[in-house]
Amino acid sequence: MSRPPRALTSAKNPAVQRFRDAAAGALPGQLLAEGVRLVREALEAGLHVVEAAVSPRLADDGLRDALRQRADSFLECSDAVLARMSALDTPQGVAVLLSRPTWRDEDLLGSGAVPLVVVAAGLRDPGNLGAVLRTAEGAGATGCLTLRGGADPFRDKAVRGSMGSVFRLPVQHGLDVAEVLAFAERHGLAVVVTDGAGPTEYTDADFARPLLLVVGAEAAGVGPEWLASAAQHVRIPLRAPVESLNAAVAAGVVLFEARRQRG
């Protein structure tokens, strides 16, 4: 059922602050998506649109109409007001508040697949985390866990970095190490960590079994609690003087080897 549009002409309207709060991860249960491609990805993933804001800059009338139909609240804004709501340097004329997807443990294990759950351990850069999520989905991982104190996968920079993968890949955020290890034990997942000093090259590791793959931050790597709990430590051989890889790159190398092994 079509929602009548509400005109938004003042940057002091409370809706402006709602969008800014969502960008910062400060709006419980909601996230911000901006731009034509990302908003379309959210709609195609079936996410609930809490509020949509569009301006004359949006040239895609089909997307405008879809949002008018789907959003609980639909706002027609000036370009200047939307710019105040936006976290982008160059807004594309569309921004939406979405209900954050919620996932059960079983969702992270996949349906009819050998589970491959990625753990982002100690990643603090949201763009880097978003790239890890995109890589994980592209390589066929079944889910992702992120830790308390690390980057929030539902903040605006991580959402953009994932290019929509966070809408589809089952993700749970805010766990501690003990909770993740308990998850692995409950579901029979072998814990494998990427470790620059590990004894096993990634091409020699067994990635075909049910797996919890732990990826740490560049240079710092994974913490001692992970190293002590892992069934296998795998390394990516690097040519000197390079000592480490970006987390998303390292995740990609290992995850696509897992995909190769799994056929």
Side-chain angles (χ1 to χ4, degrees):
M1 179 178 177
S2 178
R3 302 287 196 278
R6 291 163 50 203
L8 185 57
T9 58
S10 171
K12 295 182 180 179
N13 190 290
V16 174
Q17 191 61 48
R18 286 198 296 274
F19 277 70
R20 295 175 71 86
D21 286 346
L27 202 61
Q30 295 182 26
L31 62 86
L32 172 70
E34 295 191 72
V36 172
R37 176 175 177 175
L38 202 56
V39 171
R40 281 202 172 279
E41 295 253 7
L43 294 181
E44 290 170 3
L47 268 64
H48 173 227
V49 184
V50 178
E51 194 159 32
V54 301
S55 79
R57 189 183 298 273
L58 177 64
D60 189 330
D61 290 337
L63 181 57
R64 185 187 301 268
D65 290 342
L67 290 172
R68 187 179 282 113
Q69 293 288 335
R70 295 263 303 262
D72 293 344
S73 172
F74 182 81
L75 307 174
E76 294 273 12
C77 307
S78 67
D79 287 332
V81 169
L82 189 63
R84 292 292 301 273
M85 303 166 83
S86 174
L88 299 177
D89 292 334
T90 307
Q92 296 180 17
V94 58
V96 296
L97 299 184
L98 304 164
S99 294
R100 292 191 181 198
T102 57
W103 304 97
R104 304 167 303 162
D105 284 4
E106 292 74 15
D107 297 323
L108 277 79
L109 303 174
S111 177
V114 179
L116 173 52
V117 179
V118 178
V119 179
L123 271 64
R124 297 186 180 277
D125 180 84
N128 203 9
L129 175 59
V132 169
L133 296 177
R134 185 69 168 174
T135 302
E137 185 187 27
T142 56
C144 183
L145 301 171
T146 61
L147 300 186
R148 187 177 300 123
D152 182 345
F154 300 108
R155 287 192 61 168
D156 64 309
K157 289 182 180 179
V159 171
R160 293 200 301 274
S162 81
M163 297 179 67
S165 289
V166 73
F167 303 149
R168 299 178 295 267
L169 182 70
V171 178
Q172 291 183 5
H173 173 60
L175 288 77
D176 60 31
V177 175
E179 289 172 322
V180 176
L181 291 175
F183 172 90
E185 184 174 0
R186 280 198 309 274
H187 300 292
L189 307 181
V191 179
V192 174
V193 300
T194 56
D195 176 7
T200 305
E201 288 197 13
Y202 75 100
T203 50
D204 296 327
D206 177 10
F207 295 130
R209 55 185 166 163
L211 206 65
L212 187 85
L213 176 66
V214 184
V215 179
E218 183 173 353
V222 298
E225 62 271 48
W226 293 114
L227 297 175
S229 303
Q232 195 166 42
H233 299 198
V234 300
R235 74 178 188 278
I236 301 169
L238 301 175
R239 184 172 180 178
V242 175
E243 296 181 348
S244 62
L245 295 175
N246 171 277
V249 174
V253 170
V254 176
L255 283 166
F256 278 95
E257 171 61 17
R259 179 172 180 173
R260 184 192 70 79
Q261 290 187 19
R262 291 164 177 235

